[in-house]
Amino acid sequence: MTSKRLCFEPGHKPKCLVIVDDTAEWDRAVYYASRWAIRAGGGVVMLRIIETDEPSQEWLGVADIMRAEAHEEANAAIDRAAGRANGIAAITPERLIREGAPMEQLLAVIDEDPDIAMLVLAANPGAEGPGPWVALLAHELGVFPIPVTIISGALSDQSVDSLS
């Protein structure tokens, strides 16, 4: 059960949640969320989810190495995204790295932070489809606990500026 949103209550500020993944369009979501944060007087939370499988006993050592590498990659991806957000809006976003099933972790993050007011995703403009998160959430939007804003990956910075 998702907790009550407190983002506009005294002592709180609204936050945009952005998923930083390996898709080309993540930059559009970060750009929009950063611009939104300026206008709303809010913040940005950047989330990277590392999908995990339970390793068998004989592969535990390899699994530990792979996990460490995944965390290094996650930190590097969030560093790039945080640098982009800082360049756009002079903000320092919150950084989260979670491990587990993607939808489960996404919902847990939203539930744990009552100041998250919206999830911002960007859709891939290519023929291969909108991207993994947009496709996954398409089936959940009717029961999702917060608004979801989907930005076209084809929008320029100037176009996003006029919308945010």
Side-chain angles (χ1 to χ4, degrees):
M1 180 87 168
T2 301
S3 59
K4 179 184 175 200
R5 303 288 95 199
L6 301 175
C7 48
F8 292 105
E9 298 291 325
H12 295 268
K13 72 176 185 176
K15 300 176 189 175
C16 250
L17 177 60
V18 178
I19 298 171
V20 178
D21 58 13
D22 294 326
T23 63
E25 60 272 7
W26 67 263
D27 178 73
R28 299 295 74 209
V30 168
Y31 194 91
Y32 180 88
S34 300
R35 295 281 303 164
W36 176 89
I38 292 170
R39 299 217 186 209
V44 176
V45 178
M46 295 188 172
L47 172 63
R48 176 76 174 219
I49 298 173
I50 300 169
E51 290 187 62
T52 57
D53 294 324
E54 291 299 319
S56 60
Q57 192 65 30
E58 63 269 8
W59 292 102
L60 285 178
V62 174
D64 288 343
I65 292 169
M66 290 174 63
R67 184 171 179 244
E69 289 173 353
H71 273 269
E72 284 180 30
E73 289 173 15
N75 276 310
I78 291 179
D79 285 345
R80 284 189 303 275
R84 180 77 165 125
N86 188 272
I88 295 162
I91 60 173
T92 302
E94 293 178 39
R95 306 162 52 105
L96 295 173
I97 298 173
R98 301 291 287 256
E99 292 183 32
M103 185 59 77
E104 182 180 300
Q105 293 304 313
L106 175 60
L107 291 171
V109 166
I110 292 167
D111 193 49
E112 292 164 11
D113 189 343
D115 290 342
I116 294 176
M118 133 178 55
L119 172 64
V120 176
L121 301 172
N124 181 347
E128 59 274 5
W133 281 103
V134 175
L136 180 64
L137 282 171
H139 301 288
E140 304 291 328
L141 289 177
V143 294
F144 207 69
I146 59 174
V148 177
T149 300
I150 301 174
I151 304 302
S152 168
L155 291 176
S156 68
D157 289 355
Q158 295 76 20
S159 295
V160 174
D161 289 346
S162 68
L163 296 168
S164 55

